[in-house]
Amino acid sequence: MTSTAHKAPQGQDAGDAPPPWQQRLRRFGYAPRAEIGLRERLVPPYTRPSERMWSLLGVSPSRAERLTRLAAWGGPLLVALVAGVMRFWHLGSPKAVIFDETYYAKDAWALVNQGYEGAWPKDVDKSILANPDAVAIPTEPGYVVHPPVGKWVIGLGEQLFGFTPFGWRFMVAVLGTLSVLMLCRIGRRLFRSTFLGCLAGLLLAVDGLHFVMSRTALLDQVLMFFVLAAFGCLLIDRDHARRRLAAALPRDEEGLLRPDAEVAETLRLGLRPWRIAAGVTLGLAFATKWNGLYIMAAFGVMAVLWDAGGRRTAGAISPYAAVLKRDLVPAFVSVVPVAVATYIASWTGWIASDKGYFRDWAERPGGGGGTWGWLPDWLRSLWHYETEVYKFHVNLTSGHTYESNPWSWIVLGRPVSYFYEDPAPGRDGCPVDATEKCAREVLAIGTPLLWWAACFALCYVLWRWFFRRDWRAGAIACGVAAGWLPWFFYQERTIFLFYAVVFVPFLCLAVSMMIGAIVGPPGSDERRRTVGAVGAGVLVLLIVWNFIYFWPLYTGEAIPMDAWRSRMWLDTWV
């Protein structure tokens, strides 16, 4: 008997039927890509508001065209302006050295003034807050365990505005604001939607962890900025490479692009300046903190897969072989040596000095001579310094009140309290008529509803990547994985929730993508889009409300103790 298990539908040839694996995956939501033009597959167009919407608003077609063009930059700039106002509002408050600012603010001040970090005396923070001009910079070198770029950034703000809380937080707030602008533009390019791009930026603007880190002189926000910049550079490079492929492909009699295996497999894509820019920004990332190395490796693999995908779409029969032959070596040279050179250049102040910690190690007896004696003294000394720092990091297992396991980060299991005071009534903003002491706290915690929504969004992104083969979902998943998964290899080490700020932008992209799905795809009927828009709007408003509700815990405002307790939603937050 002839089997009919995979019989083609009536009117369809058996050779046109979907392969069996696609039919089996349909039960999980798999759907093959809709047939669209080759140029649109290589370089998708940006979505545009419907003519029906403009007509309902009474906007003429010509004016609608101008507004659409204006929104491409006007929308992101407006979101960034709102984010900047919030981040710079009372930036110098609390007037204190909070959490690890006690290391980085002082190291940055020494670095920008003498080229290397000094060994600061204990209990000098109060003197700095009282009269920074009276505090001398120590000339004795200090042992530091992070590369210098983040401290150069912090030090630039101190050079502009002095050795004060506002000064050492200024540049971090600038980068926090610029990262919101970048995410708007990155999201727009990724989703081909100005609305979804601005939504991703808005979500980042109202994320509590990103907000607190933008107002604190720590290194992780600086790292996040360079990681996001590198992702954006690679995204632009992807578009440019695919445009070159499209320009080289032949056209048929109707003027439509046609795939061509020879062109797709042999075309050289030429100089790729945005990939070199990605190498610089990735070098700045791991010259801020070493976990940038994991992100560089993950982004490198992602970029190679993007090249293979572009060549496959253009008609390559063996896209990975073509990438191996044409793209892999240029990609490596554009990123890795550039990043390494950037990293070494970041140590220029230490190299030029004669007092930096371990600076003279190579000149001491047994200082790496012999086999490696032909290398410059500074390079051997720097290598020794780095090996000692690596030993420190992997052996850092001392307990801390606010340490947390990376498993708990995504649900905000254990936030970090950067600052806490309980002023008496009538002092430091506590109302005179308060019946008990108030609470002032700066709590490094994400906006809870945003992060808990991100848990569902990550599931959606992974589903869309596996079963819809959506490269955008894969890119978002790569950003989250690169910033999060490496910490699972160091669970014995003392680690904190605020390390997660590196992948917060990608969580916002994931939530934005999920909200886009809630609203509904283009072409949906009016009822579906209306219901979706209402649901999506309610979710966004709840996230914004949640940020406003936790505002006092992000800014260190004095609030009644009962109001503080009402915001401790989980026992582990205390």
Side-chain angles (χ1 to χ4, degrees), residues 379-431:
L379 185 56
R380 284 183 284 131
S381 296
L382 180 60
W383 180 259
H384 175 72
Y385 194 171
E386 302 289 57
T387 57
E388 293 298 311
V389 168
Y390 177 77
K391 293 175 186 177
F392 169 85
H393 282 304
V394 297
N395 294 311
L396 182 61
T397 57
S398 57
H400 193 284
T401 304
Y402 294 107
E403 67 179 318
S404 59
N405 191 291
W407 286 107
S408 70
W409 290 356
I410 195 66
V411 293
L412 304 176
R414 182 60 170 164
V416 183
S417 181
Y418 285 174
F419 170 83
Y420 183 86
E421 285 183 350
D422 52 352
R427 297 177 59 86
D428 295 329
C430 187

Side-chain angles (χ1 to χ4, degrees), residues 162-185:
F163 195 24
T164 64
F166 182 88
W168 60 65
R169 295 170 191 160
F170 176 80
M171 281 305 300
V172 184
V174 169
L175 297 191
T177 303
L178 290 177
S179 65
V180 172
L181 176 62
M182 281 199 304
L183 190 65
C184 290
R185 294 288 297 177

Side-chain angles (χ1 to χ4, degrees), residues 25 236 248 329 340 498:
L25 288 177
I236 297 172
V329 172
V340 171
F498 64 81

Side-chain angles (χ1 to χ4, degrees), residues 397-479:
T397 57
S398 57
H400 193 284
T401 304
Y402 294 107
E403 67 179 318
S404 59
N405 191 291
W407 286 107
S408 70
W409 290 356
I410 195 66
V411 293
L412 304 176
R414 182 60 170 164
V416 183
S417 181
Y418 285 174
F419 170 83
Y420 183 86
E421 285 183 350
D422 52 352
R427 297 177 59 86
D428 295 329
C430 187
V432 177
D433 58 351
T435 58
E436 59 178 336
K437 289 184 177 181
C438 293
R440 289 188 69 202
E441 183 171 29
V442 176
L443 188 67
I445 184 174
T447 302
L449 292 186
L450 173 59
W451 282 64
W452 296 340
C455 295
F456 295 96
L458 286 178
C459 293
Y460 170 72
V461 161
L462 293 174
W463 170 80
R464 192 165 182 90
W465 183 28
F466 285 130
F467 296 112
R468 294 294 179 90
R469 297 179 298 166
D470 192 328
W471 72 271
R472 303 169 302 171
I476 294 169
C478 177

Side-chain angles (χ1 to χ4, degrees), residues 464-544:
R464 192 165 182 90
W465 183 28
F466 285 130
F467 296 112
R468 294 294 179 90
R469 297 179 298 166
D470 192 328
W471 72 271
R472 303 169 302 171
I476 294 169
C478 177
V480 175
W484 186 17
L485 295 186
W487 292 109
F488 288 90
F489 298 108
Y490 299 98
Q491 294 192 53
E492 298 292 327
R493 190 182 180 278
T494 307
I495 52 182
F496 303 92
L497 169 67
F498 64 81
Y499 295 172
V501 74
V502 174
F503 61 84
V504 166
F506 299 97
L507 293 183
C508 295
L509 288 172
V511 174
S512 184
M513 189 175 191
M514 182 181 71
I515 289 174
I518 293 173
V519 172
S524 300
D525 61 75
E526 188 171 339
R527 183 172 182 273
R528 165 69 179 85
R529 299 278 282 187
T530 301
V531 172
V534 170
V538 169
L539 176 58
V540 173
L541 289 176
L542 285 174
I543 290 171
V544 173

Side-chain angles (χ1 to χ4, degrees), residues 49-90:
S50 67
E51 294 180 4
R52 176 179 171 80
M53 187 198 77
W54 290 124
S55 64
L56 289 174
L57 295 174
V59 179
S60 65
S62 60
R63 187 174 181 82
E65 180 67 26
R66 290 196 298 271
L67 289 174
T68 301
R69 289 198 302 267
L70 178 64
W73 273 103
L77 287 171
L78 180 61
V79 174
L81 176 63
V82 173
V85 169
M86 292 191 300
R87 279 152 180 74
F88 282 95
W89 186 261
H90 291 169

Side-chain angles (χ1 to χ4, degrees), residues 62-376:
S62 60
R63 187 174 181 82
E65 180 67 26
R66 290 196 298 271
L67 289 174
T68 301
R69 289 198 302 267
L70 178 64
W73 273 103
L77 287 171
L78 180 61
V79 174
L81 176 63
V82 173
V85 169
M86 292 191 300
R87 279 152 180 74
F88 282 95
W89 186 261
H90 291 169
L91 181 61
S93 176
K95 187 181 178 181
V97 181
I98 64 175
F99 203 63
D100 281 354
E101 284 185 342
T102 188
Y103 304 115
Y104 305 127
K106 292 180 291 190
D107 286 342
W109 185 242
L111 193 64
V112 296
N113 280 283
Q114 62 187 20
Y116 64 93
E117 296 91 343
W120 292 86
K122 293 182 179 180
D123 302 323
V124 73
D125 292 352
K126 292 181 179 179
S127 300
I128 293 171
L129 293 170
N131 186 6
D133 295 333
V135 178
I137 300 172
T139 56
E140 185 70 20
Y143 178 61
V144 295
V145 295
H146 290 298
V149 162
K151 287 164 281 187
W152 281 112
V153 170
I154 294 169
L156 176 58
E158 293 174 329
Q159 288 282 72
L160 293 172
F161 297 101
F163 195 24
T164 64
F166 182 88
W168 60 65
R169 295 170 191 160
F170 176 80
M171 281 305 300
V172 184
V174 169
L175 297 191
T177 303
L178 290 177
S179 65
V180 172
L181 176 62
M182 281 199 304
L183 190 65
C184 290
R185 294 288 297 177
I186 286 170
R188 180 179 183 271
R189 184 176 291 270
L190 186 69
F191 300 128
R192 290 309 200 251
S193 167
T194 300
F195 168 73
L196 290 181
C198 289
L199 176 60
L202 175 65
L203 293 175
L204 187 64
V206 298
D207 175 63
L209 183 60
H210 185 274
F211 178 77
V212 171
M213 296 298 288
S214 297
R215 294 167 54 87
T216 311
L218 270 63
L219 303 181
D220 299 84
Q221 185 81 344
V222 181
L223 171 63
M224 180 279 306
F225 175 83
F226 290 127
V227 168
L228 185 60
F231 182 83
C233 290
L234 291 174
L235 197 60
I236 297 172
D237 172 75
R238 180 185 186 274
D239 277 356
H240 286 190
R242 292 168 79 92
R243 284 196 187 97
R244 290 179 184 176
L245 281 170
L249 290 174
R251 295 178 180 272
D252 61 14
E253 297 82 357
E254 298 177 357
L256 300 176
L257 288 185
R258 290 297 178 222
D260 186 288
E262 183 178 357
V263 170
E265 293 184 356
T266 62
L267 180 69
R268 295 187 181 277
L269 297 174
L271 181 66
R272 300 173 71 167
W274 284 104
R275 187 164 277 181
I276 297 173
V280 173
T281 50
L282 287 169
L284 292 171
F286 80 83
T288 300
K289 291 189 78 171
W290 276 1
N291 49 314
L293 283 168
Y294 291 106
I295 295 165
M296 182 172 72
F299 282 7
V301 172
M302 179 182 69
V304 169
L305 293 177
W306 285 353
D307 283 346
R311 291 188 181 274
R312 181 193 295 112
T313 302
I317 299 172
S318 303
Y320 290 99
V323 167
L324 183 63
K325 185 176 181 180
R326 303 290 182 188
D327 301 324
L328 193 60
V329 172
F332 179 87
V333 172
S334 298
V335 175
V336 177
V338 172
V340 171
T342 302
Y343 180 86
I344 293 174
S346 72
W347 285 88
T348 300
W350 179 88
I351 293 169
S353 75
D354 57 359
K355 293 184 179 180
Y357 203 88
F358 279 138
R359 178 62 184 84
D360 62 346
W361 177 84
E363 301 170 8
R364 304 174 191 169
T371 305
W372 302 105
W374 57 277
L375 292 173

